[in-house]
Amino acid sequence: MIKRQDEIQRRQPIIRACLLLLYARDAQTARHCVRVSRIAEKMAEELSLPASLRWRIRDAGLMHDLGKLTVRDEVLLKTDRLNSDEWEMMKTHPQAGARLLQLLPAMEELAAPVLQHHERWDGLGYPLGLEKEEICQEARILAVADAWDAMLAGRIYRPGIKPWQALEQIEAGSGSQFDPEIAGRFAAMHRRLQEV
């Protein structure tokens, strides 16, 4: 356990450096990564996952869009909807992020969740077309957290939606886009927090 904690501690300065790079390139993406990390970590607690897995989910959330550093400015910073070619370029970011993480010391275990965070429960996601439990648990949690934050925050070309509308979309995607257990637990957690 001590060795494990040492590894987690060793990667913290690397994560901070990567986040600074993201902030310099696109502050909106960096802020999104921080929010996704917090949401995903809360979900991991809700699922009573062991501490080492919660930390991996937290750190993978911070790094999930690292690959956007490799996307051209005219695509990453575009203020309108992406055309099909631009969308294909944007869809390369999970693979690019995973490759970067595999090159960095103590970051290798974050590569799989970063690579898989746009996979879907029904197999219609990208980049690998994985389905159900073929997708690592960390990525299935990140998928819900990522979608939730993207819906609430909106984009330059579309406003964010209200939390109840985003929750309806998460529930509608349960069993197709999202792992049904994780989507259900997220919805229950959100409703409980709203009551408080």
Side-chain angles (χ1 to χ4, degrees):
M1 185 64 174
I2 293 171
K3 183 181 178 203
R4 185 89 186 92
Q5 289 175 333
D6 286 347
E7 279 182 23
I8 291 165
Q9 288 302 316
R10 271 190 359 186
R11 72 176 173 229
Q12 296 314 303
I14 300 168
I15 288 172
R16 284 194 295 275
C18 290
L19 276 175
L20 284 173
L21 287 171
L22 273 173
Y23 268 110
R25 180 76 191 288
D26 180 25
Q28 180 180 343
T29 296
R31 287 191 294 268
H32 165 70
C33 288
V34 171
R35 291 190 304 266
V36 167
S37 173
R38 289 180 181 152
I39 295 163
E41 185 175 21
K42 190 72 179 161
M43 289 172 61
E45 290 171 11
E46 179 75 12
L47 292 163
S48 301
L49 298 180
S52 61
L53 190 53
R54 289 198 314 265
W55 296 329
R56 184 160 63 237
I57 289 166
R58 176 200 63 201
D59 292 348
L62 290 169
M63 296 291 95
H64 81 278
D65 277 345
L66 180 65
K68 288 186 177 179
L69 288 171
T70 68
V71 176
R72 292 194 327 252
D73 280 350
E74 59 267 24
V75 174
L76 181 64
L77 306 176
K78 187 174 180 179
T79 58
D80 199 358
R81 291 191 181 277
L82 302 178
N83 66 37
S84 59
D85 290 339
E86 292 164 338
W87 178 239
E88 288 305 312
M89 176 177 287
M90 185 64 81
K91 284 168 57 176
T92 66
H93 81 270
Q95 291 158 305
R99 280 194 305 268
L100 288 168
L101 291 170
Q102 288 169 339
L103 295 172
L104 297 169
M107 301 290 277
E108 301 89 352
E109 71 176 356
L110 305 181
V114 167
L115 177 65
Q116 298 173 18
H117 76 277
H118 281 296
E119 300 291 349
R120 291 174 46 120
W121 187 253
D122 60 12
L124 299 177
Y126 64 90
L128 305 174
L130 302 176
E131 64 179 334
K132 297 187 170 91
E133 283 88 5
E134 292 176 342
I135 307 163
C136 68
Q137 186 177 33
E138 301 97 304
R140 287 182 272 141
I141 291 170
L142 288 176
V144 173
D146 187 31
W148 172 260
D149 186 69
M151 287 188 279
L152 291 184
R155 295 289 182 261
I156 293 171
Y157 55 86
R158 69 160 171 79
I161 61 176
K162 299 202 178 306
W164 66 266
Q165 295 170 309
L167 193 58
E168 283 183 352
Q169 290 195 32
I170 296 288
E171 291 178 313
S174 175
S176 56
Q177 184 173 356
F178 307 115
D179 176 328
E181 179 190 359
I182 291 170
R185 293 291 287 275
F186 176 80
M189 177 185 77
H190 178 73
R191 287 196 173 95
R192 192 174 64 253
L193 291 174
Q194 289 301 101
E195 288 170 6
V196 172

